[in-house]
């Protein structure tokens, strides 16, 4: 891109383009280089305002190979930028963007884990008032995660797991591991305060908190099993991973944890490393909370009024959820402070839709045959005639000449309403009237827009099945556990109200954008379609 008044045809831009092309040509595995140096490529490589040019190229090989190969063109582009400081020279593509975003996510992930674990330890110290007692839940959560990660190895040999499943295992594992250990440990300490021996305190905790942990674990696993019906293999992987980590945490809570509690209590080590003020207050109150005792007293005094106020608040928060809109944020969902996203924004401004084209894939005996070539040309012409798709465009043919990929530029960012309108025109009108008529050919439309649309459609169509499965199985589980029809109905109603309120807050904040400045983000006008299923 030319700086300030520099144009695409200026000598320094041409020199930079020649340098880029020369360096790319020397990299083995890079093919189909398009540049404004070739007259036939100028329609695809020169922006309408004449200030930006693109050098397009392909990287051949497997996904794993191109992930390694992409470092070479990135280095070449960086070298060109240093050699030509008068122009802006940057690289963007699916592989390079994914690599840069993954590196930033890994960096941010370490920081967020550090902050989360620090906050968790502070909360545990406040809850228990002693370092050893606070460390025990954290230990259970960490060992549950470690054990599950080990189990994911053999599971992955049977079923391909998504790369992000380990992150969900860490989040869910720490959450339930710490939660279950807090139930158990807290009850043991309370019973010890009441004068029971170490063995008696652990037995009471096992009969009360231990039973609650078992029921809770089975309920959470039931909920996660609903992801198996989400219609997407990624969700199946998440479901398997989270069910495993909950099972391991539950097993540890019912075996390892009581054994450790009995041992530490017998040795009087459980309350080692006391936090003076907090520990003194906890012992004085015998585990009771003044705040919650006050709230509970008022609720029990006026149960109907309390139900109306609390229930009304949850219903009110749930109302905005009726207007929920699902949207795959794509690259719009990332922080604009990332250099690769800034490059994407500049590319979109210079070549609207070029960063996320719609791709029509045609599979036939010979895609270079005259009838297929004619149909592809018709596809191109009719697509442009709709006004919804435009140049730059390209046609790629596989080495065995059995597959052709026709890329066309869509309107919008790739995941917004304008892009979906482009996709609808291509799928519903253009493809059936052109390449869709080829006898014996298989035709499909893919790309960022198509992937986003199909993913959202799959999620919304399968969501009722997931909800019905989770609620039905939870009802049966609680019915058998409590031998009561009121308890499971109450649990399901409260769950739906709390989830509905969470949906409503999501819509108010992240869809409608209330609190953008406070939370320092920019709304994309919708909610990622996978979030409601997890909630």
């Amino acid at each position: 891109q030319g700086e300030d008044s520099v144009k695409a045809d200026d000598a320094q831009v041409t020199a930079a383009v020649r340098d880029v092309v020369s360096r790319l040509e020397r990299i083995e595995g890079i093919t189909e280089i398009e540049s404004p140096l070739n007259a036939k490529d100028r329609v695809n490589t020169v922006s309408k305002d004449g200030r930006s040019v693109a050098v397009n190229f392909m990287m051949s090989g497997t996904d794993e190979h191109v992930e390694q190969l992409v470092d070479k063109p990135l280095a070449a582009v960086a070298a060109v930028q240093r050699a030509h400081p008068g122009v802006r020279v940057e690289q963007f593509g699916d592989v390079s963007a994914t690599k840069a975003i993954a590196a930033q996510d890994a960096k941010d992930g370490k920081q967020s884990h550090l902050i989360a674990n620090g906050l968790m330890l502070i909360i545990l110290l406040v809850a228990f008032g002693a370092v050893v007692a606070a460390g025990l839940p954290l230990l259970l959560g960490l060992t549950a995660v470690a054990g599950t990660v080990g189990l994911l190895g053999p599971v992955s040999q049977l079923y391909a797991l998504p790369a992000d499943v380990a992150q969900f295992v860490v989040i869910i594992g720490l959450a339930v591991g710490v939660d279950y250990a807090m139930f158990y440990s807290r009850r043991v300490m309370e019973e010890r305060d009441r004068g029971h021996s170490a063995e008696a305190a652990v037995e009471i905790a096992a009969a009360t908190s231990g039973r609650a942990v078992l029921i809770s674990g089975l309920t959470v696993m039931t909920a996660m099993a609903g992801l198996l019906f989400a219609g997407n293999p990624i969700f199946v992987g998440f479901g398997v991973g989270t069910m495993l980590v909950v099972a391991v945490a539950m097993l540890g809570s019912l075996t390892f944890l009581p054994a450790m509690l009995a041992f530490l209590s017998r040795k009087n080590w459980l309350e080692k490393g006391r936090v003076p003020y907090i520990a003194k207050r906890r012992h004085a109150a015998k585990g009771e909370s003044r705040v919650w005792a006050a709230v509970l007293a008022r609720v029990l005094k006026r149960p109907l009024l309390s139900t109306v106020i609390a229930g009304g608040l949850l219903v009110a928060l749930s109302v905005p959820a009726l207007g929920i809109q699902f949207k795959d944020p794509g690259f719009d969902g990332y922080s604009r402070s990332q250099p690769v996203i800034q490059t994407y924004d500049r590319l979109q401004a210079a070549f609207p839709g070029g960063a996320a084209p719609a791709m029509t894939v045609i599979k036939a005996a010979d895609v270079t045959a005259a009838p297929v070539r004619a149909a592809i040309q018709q596809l191109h012409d009719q697509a442009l005639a709709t006004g919804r798709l435009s140049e730059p465009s390209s046609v790629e043919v596989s080495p065995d000449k059995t597959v052709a990929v026709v890329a066309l530029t869509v309107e919008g960012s790739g995941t917004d309403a304008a892009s979906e309108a482009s996709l609808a025109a291509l799928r519903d009108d253009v493809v059936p009237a052109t390449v869709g008529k080829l006898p014996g050919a298989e035709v499909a439309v893919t790309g960022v827009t198509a992937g986003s649309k199909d993913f959202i459609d799959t999620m919304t169509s399968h969501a009722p099945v997931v909800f019905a499965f989770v609620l039905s199985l939870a009802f049966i589980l609680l019915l058998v556990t409590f031998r009561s029809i009121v308890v499971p109905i109450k649990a399901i109603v409260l769950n739906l109200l709390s989830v509905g309120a969470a949906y409503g807050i999501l819509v108010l904040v992240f869809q409608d954008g209330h609190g953008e400045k406070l939370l320092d983000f920019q709304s994309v006008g919708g909610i990622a379609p996978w979030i409601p299923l997890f909630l």
Side-chain angles (χ1 to χ4, degrees):
Q1 186 178 63
E3 298 286 358
D4 300 324
S5 61
V6 177
K7 294 293 185 179
D9 291 328
D10 286 2
Q12 55 184 317
V13 175
T14 302
V17 171
R18 290 186 187 281
D19 196 358
V20 169
V21 172
S22 173
R23 291 173 187 270
L24 291 176
E25 286 176 339
R26 295 198 295 269
I27 300 174
E28 186 178 352
I30 287 183
T31 60
E32 301 182 38
I33 299 174
E34 291 182 344
S35 81
L37 300 177
N38 304 319
K40 64 182 180 64
D41 295 333
R42 288 186 66 83
V43 68
N44 289 341
T45 57
V46 179
S47 65
K48 289 182 180 180
D49 65 3
R51 290 192 58 245
S52 303
V53 297
V55 176
N56 305 318
F57 62 91
M58 298 293 296
M59 294 186 293
S60 59
T62 63
D63 290 345
E64 293 76 13
H65 175 70
V66 297
E67 285 173 7
Q68 299 296 323
L69 178 61
V70 74
D71 288 333
K72 294 183 178 179
L74 282 170
V77 168
V80 174
Q81 176 66 91
R82 290 192 296 270
H84 302 271
V87 295
R88 185 191 299 276
V89 187
E90 298 171 339
Q91 178 174 316
F92 183 87
D94 284 344
V95 181
S96 54
T98 300
K99 190 179 185 73
I101 290 168
Q104 185 64 43
D105 284 348
K107 181 181 177 182
D108 292 343
K110 290 179 180 178
Q111 184 179 5
S112 65
H113 283 315
L114 187 64
I115 294 171
N117 291 335
L119 288 172
M120 194 182 302
L121 187 57
I122 292 170
I123 291 169
L124 290 170
L125 285 171
V126 171
F128 291 103
V131 173
V132 173
L136 200 56
L138 205 55
L139 177 64
L140 180 67
L142 292 171
T143 52
V145 169
T148 305
V149 171
L151 290 174
L152 289 178
V155 171
S156 66
Q157 300 300 314
L158 302 174
Y159 187 88
L161 297 172
D164 294 333
V165 70
Q167 295 181 29
F168 281 93
V169 163
V170 171
I171 294 169
I172 301 294
L174 282 174
V176 297
V178 169
D179 205 26
Y180 296 163
M182 279 192 69
F183 287 161
Y184 228 119
S185 303
R186 182 83 178 186
R187 188 58 186 262
V188 167
M189 294 176 77
E190 288 172 3
E191 295 304 326
R192 290 285 284 165
D193 284 344
R194 294 187 178 110
H196 290 103
S197 66
E199 289 77 7
V202 172
E203 286 178 6
I204 294 171
T208 52
S209 296
R211 187 167 180 266
V213 165
L214 178 63
I215 296 167
S216 175
L218 292 174
T219 306
V220 174
M221 290 172 67
T222 297
M224 290 302 177
L227 295 178
L228 304 180
F229 301 93
N232 189 298
I234 294 176
F235 284 94
V236 174
F238 288 155
V240 170
T242 47
M243 281 191 291
L244 270 177
V245 76
V246 172
V248 172
M250 185 175 66
L251 184 64
S253 299
L254 299 177
T255 56
F256 166 77
L257 183 61
M260 284 298 297
L261 286 170
F263 173 76
L264 292 172
S265 296
R266 199 178 298 120
K267 298 284 188 178
N268 291 320
W269 291 347
L270 190 59
E271 296 197 49
K272 290 286 185 182
R274 285 190 179 190
V275 181
Y277 176 73
I278 295 172
K280 186 178 179 180
R281 280 200 62 181
R282 189 186 64 76
H283 282 293
K286 296 190 182 298
E288 297 295 334
S289 167
R290 292 180 182 177
V291 174
W292 290 116
V295 171
L296 186 61
R298 285 164 175 75
V299 167
L300 293 179
K301 190 174 181 180
R302 294 183 178 83
L304 181 60
L305 179 63
S306 301
T307 301
V308 170
I309 293 174
L313 177 62
L314 289 173
V315 170
L317 287 173
S318 300
V319 170
L322 298 175
I324 192 169
Q325 296 178 4
F326 298 119
K327 180 179 179 181
D328 182 348
F331 290 113
D332 290 341
Y334 290 100
S335 169
R336 297 354 258 177
S337 64
Q338 293 192 46
V340 69
I341 300 302
Q342 293 172 2
T343 301
Y344 166 79
D345 288 340
R346 283 190 279 268
L347 182 61
Q348 280 289 92
F351 300 92
M359 294 177 286
T360 304
V361 184
I362 304 105
K363 183 179 181 182
D366 182 4
V367 293
T368 62
V372 181
R373 289 204 315 269
I376 289 174
Q377 186 60 48
Q378 290 175 358
L379 169 73
H380 174 271
D381 296 342
Q382 290 191 28
L384 298 188
T386 64
R388 293 286 187 183
L389 297 118
S390 61
E391 301 287 3
S393 65
S394 65
V395 180
E396 299 170 41
V397 176
S398 63
D400 62 2
K401 299 181 181 179
T402 61
V403 177
V405 180
V406 183
L408 291 156
T409 299
V410 298
E411 294 182 320
S413 65
T415 57
D416 57 10
S419 300
E420 289 196 8
S422 298
L423 176 68
L426 183 61
R427 277 182 166 173
D428 301 339
D429 302 325
V430 178
V431 168
T434 57
V435 291
K437 291 183 176 181
L438 289 169
E442 295 178 44
V443 183
V445 177
T446 185
V448 172
T449 308
S452 170
K453 177 72 165 56
D454 294 348
F455 183 81
I456 291 173
D457 289 347
T458 300
M459 290 300 99
T460 51
S461 64
H462 284 75
V465 178
V466 175
F467 272 73
F469 173 84
V470 171
L471 295 178
S472 299
L473 216 57
F475 179 84
I476 294 170
L477 180 64
L478 294 174
L479 184 67
V480 172
T481 302
F482 292 102
R483 303 290 196 275
S484 164
I485 197 168
V486 175
V487 171
I489 289 174
K490 184 185 72 171
I492 287 172
V493 169
L494 287 174
N495 192 50
L496 288 175
L497 279 173
S498 62
V499 170
Y503 287 175
I505 293 170
L506 275 179
V507 171
L508 286 172
V509 177
F510 296 103
Q511 180 174 302
D512 298 342
H514 299 293
E516 280 183 329
K517 291 183 179 179
L518 178 65
L519 297 176
D520 191 24
F521 77 99
Q522 186 172 354
S523 172
V524 296
I527 305 299
W530 58 269
I531 290 178
L533 280 180
F534 275 97
L535 288 182

